[in-house]
Each structure stands twice: as structure tokens, then as C-alpha cells.
Amino acid sequence: MTGLAILTATEMRAAEQAVFASGVPEYALMEKAGAAAADIIWRAGGKRDTLVLCGPGNNGGDGFVIARILRGHGVPVRVAATGESRTPSSQQARALWDGPVEDVFTASPATQLVDALFGTGLTRGLDKALAERLSALADDASKTYAIDLPSGIDTDSGAPLSDVPHFNTCISLGALKPAHVLDPSASRFDRLVCADIDIPTQNARVRLLTAPHLTAPAKDAHKYTRGLVAVLAGAMPGAAALAALAAAHGGAGYVKVGAPIPIPSLPHAIVQNDDEPADAFADPRIAVSLIGPGLGRDGASIARMASALSAGHRAVIDADGLLALKSLGFAVLPQCAILTPHAGEFEALFGPLEGNPIMQAQTAAAQSGAVVVLKGAHSIVAAPDGRAAVSRPASSWLSTAGTGDVLAGLCAARLAVTHDPFRAACEAVWLHGEAARRAGAAFVADELIAQVPAAIASRL
């Protein structure tokens, strides 16, 4: 369900030190990194003339290795550097490059540009003149590659420390970094590739979200074994209707809605009742309570939510339910819960938190005891135990009313099926994104739901 590791600059340095402690020389790792990156460039660019820009540190050393290996493939390669190499490994890589080394500021452009100036761990921006020169050379190239990270990016926050040009491809070395999956840095390249250089990442707590492996219902399954989702409707019944319909299509065996007034748009398969929450949610067969979409924000709505939660079922809390939770406190949550805030709701519920959005989601999950889905272009799923998964970029067409209700319904359905809130949230986020991809452009939330069955079928 979760794939490539995402390591901070500190974690990446520790992982590299573990490799060196095992007996691998530092330069051997540089050779492996350069060779892996060169192979990607060679396969994509063939024999296009190439200019490799090398900085003074190990990222620049990678660049010298890349240039040497590409030239071995018959690629017309030139190298331009900012000055002398300063680390032992980069000096060794430079010594093995037997071609000329030009000055970055006077080198002529090439069809392909490789940025190996600065990578992981940069703490200050490029000098203005160097940043402008990098941008000019990138503008003049037809294909551009950033090695590890585009030069000028903060590894952990993804913030630009200086002006950063746009790249066609970013080649991450060994593991992904937060800047690869957080904006604005994630928007500075079109394609992200991770080069495997045998860095130990098996213990990484943060990973890239990948497609889940789903299973069809068992042969002897029935509606209750597949999971009963109870939705608490309120002031805006349309939002609850979207969430309920998404839960039904998302894999739940039975969905019922507790609504003060009937919702005529719902299919007959979704049961409606007007019982008070204390009665409607007392049913022991309920697998998951879904509370928040269209609930309302007045005192009566908050009281209805508290009454529904008192039954102790697994829960998904979204939208108005998140604001009500701020009043009620995290103590009302059951042990198995998923919270699905967007950025504004997240800050309203948790206040300002330190670190990048991944770290903030991890802190929020630890504070609340619930799995937190911080929704955005790269949605983040964080568990109380520190695990986190970050999605690939989602369709920008999801920025329309009701799509968050659909995600809440999918979370509830997958939680009803798996009983595992982290796994359920990861599956729901992926299905949400895949349904959006299939829906194409200019869809509305109702049309997004129509694509969920096909998204599920693709993973069976």
C-alpha cells in the first residue's frame, strides 16, 4: 500500500552513514549514485549533447560521475563547475573525469542540462548570479534533469531558498525527500524518478502512497460482514448524501443515514431513518459511524454528534464534525477513528504546529489518537504511531464542492471492510485520486462517485 521511503535530510545522512559503517567506501556510493542517474538520463535522452553543472560538494561529485559514464555511452558531454571540489569523494570523482571543466558563468548551453550543483541538506539559497545563470541555462535546454533535488530547495520543507527553474525530471538518489512531495518544490519538476543505490530504508516511517491491493467480498459474505456504515446527516443533507453514496460504492455492505428529514436523492438501497442519534447509533451491528458532512455547527448539531459518538463505534469525522470535535475534545473519539481535515480545518482543530505538513500531520495524529488525513494536492495520511503516507499529486479538478464528502465516505467504507484506520485511509485516498483521474475534467462530486467502482475493480 505504501512504497518508496521519504527521508528527511538528517535521516538520509544517517542512512548513508549506516552504509559506510557496513564497510562500503564513501566514493563507492557516489559511483553507484552517479551510475544510476546516468542510466536514467541515457535511457531518456540518448546521445543528445549534454551540459553537466557541478557544485563543490558531493552532489557535484555525482555530476562528474554522471558526465564520465554518459561520455562512455558516446554522449557529447561537457562539464561546468562553480569552482574547486571540496569533499574527498567529489575530488576523486573530478580526478577521474579527464575532460575539461568549464566555468558555469561562461559555459555555452546544451540540448540537455544536468543540475548537480547542490542536493540534499542545502541550508541557504544560491547566490543571485548563480541562480540566474542556472535558470538561463535551463531555459536554453530542451531537456533538464535535477540530481537529487533542484538546486536552491530546502530538503525538509520544500521551500525555495532562492529562485529555482522548472525541470523536466528530478532524479532522487536512494530515497525520496519531503521536498519531492511537498509544494512548492514538488511543482518544480514534471517527472520524479528514484534511483536505487542500496540505501537501507526498511525502517522508514514515511512513505509514498501506492496503489492498494483490494479483495472482493468472500463467497459467504453478507451485508453485515461487509460492514454497516451509519451516516449522521444534518443541516445540509446533500453533503451527507454524497458521503453515504460514496460509502456504498466504496465497499460497505450496508449504509444507513440518520436524517431529520428524508433525502429524496438517495438510492433506495441506502436506508434512511429519523431516529435520534442515541437510538440510531445504538445498533451493535454498526461497523463505522460517519459524522460531519453537512452536520451543522450549532449547539444542537454538536450534541447530536456527541450522542452518536457515545455508542463507541469506529468513526470517520469530517467537515462540521471536525469543528464540533474542537468543542468536544479528543476524549470523545473511539480508539479507531479517522479525521479528514483540509488545511483550514486542520489549523482550526490543532492550531499552529511545527515542521512541514508531514510532521504536522504526524503530530496531530499523536495528539488526537486518530489517523489524520490532511487533504491537499499531496494528501498526507498519518497514524498515531508515527507512520505516514503521502499521495502523488491529485487532479486539480478535485477542488470542487462535495469531493471531500466523497473521500469521507470512502474512508468509512474501507474502515468498515478492513477495521484498520491507517490502511483504510490510505486505500480511500488512492481510490479518490484514481476516481478523479478517470472522471477527467470539470466533473462534479456525483460524477466522481460514479468512477469509484472502476477504480476498485482496477485493484482486485
Side-chain angles (χ1 to χ4, degrees):
M1 187 184 310
T2 50
L4 293 170
I6 301 172
L7 302 182
T8 64
T10 299
E11 290 169 339
M12 188 65 193
R13 283 192 291 268
E16 290 172 339
Q17 288 301 319
V19 172
F20 304 148
S22 72
V24 176
E26 183 174 319
Y27 182 72
L29 187 62
M30 180 173 287
E31 272 286 329
K32 186 174 292 186
D39 184 66
I40 292 167
I41 297 168
W42 162 245
R43 291 177 183 275
K47 293 189 177 182
R48 295 184 178 95
D49 62 292
T50 302
L51 175 64
V52 181
L53 305 182
C54 296
N58 285 343
N59 196 248
D62 296 334
F64 279 106
V65 176
I66 291 167
R68 192 187 80 240
I69 292 175
L70 287 178
R71 191 171 64 175
H73 287 307
V75 179
V77 179
R78 293 181 294 118
V79 172
T82 57
E84 294 300 317
S85 300
R86 297 176 185 170
T87 66
S89 291
S90 65
Q91 291 168 351
Q92 186 172 348
R94 185 169 185 154
L96 291 172
W97 165 255
D98 58 5
V101 178
E102 304 174 35
D103 188 308
V104 164
F105 291 100
T106 58
S108 57
T111 303
Q112 292 193 134
L113 179 73
V114 178
D115 168 21
L117 292 172
F118 300 95
T120 292
L122 190 67
T123 57
R124 63 182 178 86
L126 278 60
D127 293 337
K128 182 179 180 181
L130 181 57
E132 290 176 349
R133 183 61 179 156
L134 174 59
S135 293
L137 289 169
D139 288 343
D140 287 335
S142 298
K143 297 288 183 181
T144 53
Y145 303 86
I147 303 305
D148 203 26
L149 284 168
S151 293
I153 291 292
D154 181 88
T155 307
D156 292 347
S157 72
L161 301 173
S162 53
D163 289 340
V164 179
H166 190 90
F167 289 87
N168 298 120
T169 302
C170 181
I171 303 173
S172 177
L173 302 177
L176 300 185
K177 319 305 184 299
H180 290 126
V181 296
L182 296 175
D183 283 325
S185 57
S187 298
R188 303 313 299 161
F189 49 82
D190 298 321
R191 178 176 176 240
L192 175 63
V193 183
C194 187
D196 182 9
I197 57 174
D198 295 327
I199 293 291
T201 60
Q202 61 271 20
N203 295 325
R205 304 295 281 168
V206 182
R207 293 185 176 272
L208 188 67
L209 182 69
T210 57
H213 297 286
L214 306 180
T215 57
K219 291 182 179 180
D220 60 349
H222 55 76
K223 61 186 178 185
Y224 291 115
T225 59
R226 287 181 57 186
L228 166 57
V229 173
V231 182
L232 183 63
M236 298 176 64
L242 285 170
L245 190 57
H249 281 298
Y254 182 7
V255 179
K256 68 177 184 179
V257 179
I261 58 174
I263 306 174
S265 61
L266 281 175
H268 297 307
I270 296 177
V271 175
Q272 300 186 56
N273 61 61
D274 59 0
D275 294 339
E276 288 299 315
D279 299 320
F281 286 79
D283 188 343
R285 297 170 299 184
I286 292 174
V288 177
S289 299
L290 172 53
I291 303 171
L295 178 64
R297 302 181 181 183
D298 57 12
S301 298
I302 295 173
R304 293 180 72 232
M305 173 175 165
S307 181
L309 285 173
S310 67
H313 305 301
R314 303 175 190 91
V316 174
I317 312 296
D318 182 47
D320 290 343
L322 296 166
L323 299 179
L325 187 59
K326 185 176 181 179
S327 300
L328 296 171
F330 297 132
V332 301
L333 290 174
Q335 290 185 348
C336 190
I338 300 173
L339 311 181
T340 57
H342 56 56
E345 293 164 339
F346 183 88
E347 185 170 0
L349 183 56
F350 295 103
L353 297 176
E354 294 184 357
N356 65 35
I358 300 171
M359 298 170 182
Q360 292 170 359
Q362 290 172 306
T363 299
Q367 287 181 0
S368 64
V371 166
V372 173
V373 180
L374 177 52
K375 297 181 290 192
H378 294 263
S379 290
I380 300 161
V381 181
D385 63 8
R387 288 176 296 161
V390 185
S391 74
R392 293 182 181 274
S395 168
S396 60
W397 292 105
L398 281 167
S399 55
T400 187
T403 57
D405 304 319
V406 174
L407 178 59
L410 291 174
C411 285
R414 302 317 303 168
L415 183 56
V417 171
T418 67
H419 298 176
D420 179 335
F422 183 72
R423 176 183 171 185
C426 288
E427 291 179 354
V429 169
W430 187 90
L431 289 170
H432 194 245
E434 176 62 11
R437 186 190 69 80
R438 291 172 179 270
F443 57 79
V444 297
D446 309 66
E447 295 163 338
L448 178 66
I449 296 172
Q451 298 300 323
V452 169
I456 290 177
S458 73
R459 302 310 307 159
L460 295 176

